[in-house]
Amino acid sequence: MRAVFRNNRIFIYDSFIHKESIKQITGRMWHPDDKAWSVPIGAESLETLDLLGCEFSDDILDMKKKFMQEKSEDVQVMISTPLKVTPYEHQLKGYNFACRSMGIIGSSLVSPGFALLMEMGTGKTITSIAIVGRAYLSGKIKRLLILAPKSIVSVWEEEFRKFADFPYSLSVLQGSSLKKVETLKSIPNNGLEVAVVNYDSITLIEKELTAWNPDFLICDESSKIKNPTAKMSKATHKLAKLCKYRLILTGTPIQNNPLDFFSQ
């Protein structure tokens, strides 16, 4: 995808796969004769196209530099994290990129879904906590549902306790299906409401999870839902459609076949 400046607008060519994201830009226009979209010159347009990997002409690059300089103070505010610790640089960049792309901070929305494809030990969990914390503090969400393998559901409770510097109430759904539902319904309304449950349980309490109406869904080790025909994957997809924001975490998005990533 490439962009050129003409008639005081940015014209975008070869943009078919990104057309839905371009439609989110205020003031966009389709030009059938040119087979191109055009958008107004401005920070929102430039940031969105930059995040989509658009190739800019030299004059647009000069404009981008000017707008970024004017917004430098705002950018510093946007990248602050609601954490008790100072994140590493790569975690800070991932947090900033995700929040901007998902429309949690700033005025641009590229996609409500995002993937943190980070290797084990590089901080997927702490980065995720920062993202959902900013979403909550910005008034974007009230309820967070975290799906994780059974062996690591308890890790989320520990990590929230260590890192989250914002109000929250977290419950790990354990025991029988009845017990899980009781726990879900009794989560206190004190800050961000967080429910953590293992993947194997979601088909058993799918109705109750749907009724709980989460705003944000995190799929930890999302390769668990790589098979789109599996009941677990289908239940996860249904829940995801209800959520305003969706985030997957994995260090191995493709294990055997490129299609593994499709369902995630």
Side-chain angles (χ1 to χ4, degrees):
M1 184 169 64
R2 57 190 178 87
V4 298
F5 186 62
R6 191 171 77 241
N7 299 331
N8 208 35
R9 292 178 67 85
I10 300 175
F11 279 73
I12 310 151
Y13 297 88
D14 306 321
S15 59
F16 179 76
I17 63 173
H18 297 299
K19 65 178 182 179
E20 295 303 321
S21 296
I22 293 173
K23 287 179 182 179
Q24 302 298 320
I25 302 176
T26 304
R28 84 284 182 191
M29 294 177 59
W30 171 248
H31 303 270
D33 292 339
D34 293 332
K35 295 183 179 179
W37 288 94
S38 76
V39 295
I41 187 69
E44 177 192 0
S45 302
L46 291 170
E47 287 181 5
T48 302
L49 294 174
D50 194 27
L51 288 169
L52 293 173
C54 186
E55 180 182 338
F56 294 136
S57 60
D58 290 340
D59 47 358
I60 295 180
L61 286 173
D62 291 339
M63 295 176 193
K64 175 190 169 188
K65 183 178 180 181
K66 177 183 176 183
F67 279 112
M68 292 305 104
Q69 287 175 342
E70 292 175 353
K71 292 192 65 179
S72 59
E73 293 184 2
D74 293 335
V75 171
Q76 292 301 315
V77 173
M78 283 196 295
I79 63 172
S80 61
T81 60
L83 298 172
K84 296 177 182 178
V85 298
T86 301
Y88 290 107
E89 182 180 357
H90 70 277
Q91 295 165 351
L92 194 61
K93 288 181 177 179
Y95 156 81
N96 186 36
F97 186 35
C99 286
R100 290 172 61 201
S101 298
M102 299 169 80
I104 293 171
I105 53 178
S107 57
S108 300
L109 170 64
V110 176
S111 171
F114 197 83
L116 290 178
L117 309 182
M118 301 165 63
E119 293 183 7
M120 183 182 296
T122 57
K124 293 187 290 293
T125 305
I126 187 175
T127 306
S128 303
I129 292 172
I131 293 168
V132 298
R134 179 55 59 201
Y136 170 73
L137 294 173
S138 299
K140 307 281 188 180
I141 64 170
K142 294 181 179 179
R143 288 178 170 174
L144 165 66
L145 176 61
I146 301 172
L147 306 181
K150 188 174 183 178
S151 60
I152 60 174
V153 289
S154 61
V155 172
W156 280 95
E157 188 172 20
E158 299 169 9
E159 298 290 273
F160 260 83
R161 188 182 303 116
K162 286 193 297 184
F163 301 126
D165 194 19
F166 54 88
Y168 74 91
S169 298
L170 184 149
S171 294
V172 177
L173 310 187
Q174 296 177 317
S176 65
S177 295
L178 180 60
K179 178 64 175 176
K180 290 184 177 75
V181 172
E182 290 176 350
T183 303
L184 179 67
K185 292 181 178 179
S186 62
I187 296 176
N189 184 19
N190 299 323
L192 177 63
E193 299 174 43
V194 185
V196 187
V197 65
N198 70 76
Y199 283 104
D200 296 328
S201 299
I202 58 176
T203 56
L204 302 176
I205 59 170
E206 181 183 348
K207 180 180 177 181
E208 290 78 9
L209 290 172
T210 299
W212 192 60
N213 197 27
D215 307 294
F216 201 123
L217 175 67
I218 292 180
C219 292
D220 193 4
E221 299 299 338
S222 60
S223 57
K224 291 281 289 184
I225 55 169
K226 67 181 181 180
N227 181 357
T229 63
K231 290 184 179 179
M232 182 191 305
S233 300
K234 291 180 178 179
T236 302
H237 295 159
K238 288 180 182 178
L239 288 168
K241 289 179 180 179
L242 301 174
C243 297
K244 185 176 181 180
Y245 301 106
R246 302 174 292 276
L247 180 65
I248 65 169
L249 317 179
T250 180
T252 54
I254 300 174
Q255 295 182 329
N256 300 306
N257 188 299
L259 290 177
D260 288 349
F261 200 42
F262 173 76
S263 181
Q264 302 175 52

